[in-house]
Amino acid sequence: VQLQASGGGVVQAGGSLKLSCAASGPIANINGMAWHRQAPGSVRELVADITRLGSTNYTPAVRGRFAISRDDSRNTVTLQMNGLKPEDTAVYYCYMQIKRTAGAKTNNYWGQGTLVTVSS
């Protein structure tokens, strides 16, 4: 199983970006999906997550500006980021909890990271 993230780039403060992450390989089902980020010199932090039933959770710093969604028919998770601020600059990583077959245990998978740079 591999996760491929895309959509990062450079944007001015106040702008928007949409990140996408697609899982490929043998997949029976996907439980939780999430986006994390890591700014230079900082630890990786959770940005937003979404359960299989669609319940969402956001870190307070992005609540009201970011929106996470999932499409289980395409094994994808997206992060719509609006009202971007310079402090949102970071490498963003997607994350999924995946069962490769119906009887297998759930494993955690990470995407390769996509850089988001917000200029002031």
Side-chain angles (χ1 to χ4, degrees):
V1 174
Q2 290 187 327
L3 272 57
Q4 181 68 45
S6 61
V10 180
V11 64
Q12 288 189 331
S16 299
L17 282 175
K18 184 175 183 178
L19 306 182
S20 295
C21 177
S24 61
I27 296 171
N29 60 64
I30 304 175
N31 293 327
M33 297 181 180
W35 287 93
H36 292 69
R37 67 186 179 186
Q38 186 166 15
S42 299
V43 299
R44 191 175 298 189
E45 64 171 353
L46 174 68
V47 176
D49 60 32
I50 184 167
T51 69
R52 194 174 180 185
L53 296 179
S55 295
T56 58
N57 174 60
Y58 297 91
T59 190
V62 308
R63 195 171 293 139
R65 299 187 296 123
F66 291 10
I68 189 171
S69 60
R70 61 189 287 166
D71 183 347
D72 287 280
S73 68
R74 299 183 179 184
N75 296 330
T76 60
V77 61
T78 61
L79 185 69
Q80 177 66 49
M81 305 184 294
N82 300 322
L84 283 160
K85 304 176 180 180
E87 52 263 42
D88 294 319
T89 295
V91 177
Y92 285 70
Y93 298 90
C94 56
Y95 164 89
M96 297 186 189
Q97 299 170 322
I98 297 174
K99 278 190 175 184
R100 298 180 65 182
T101 62
K105 67 174 183 177
T106 299
N107 288 318
N108 300 325
Y109 294 88
W110 292 89
Q112 83 283 10
T114 184
L115 178 62
V116 172
T117 302
V118 184
S119 61
S120 57

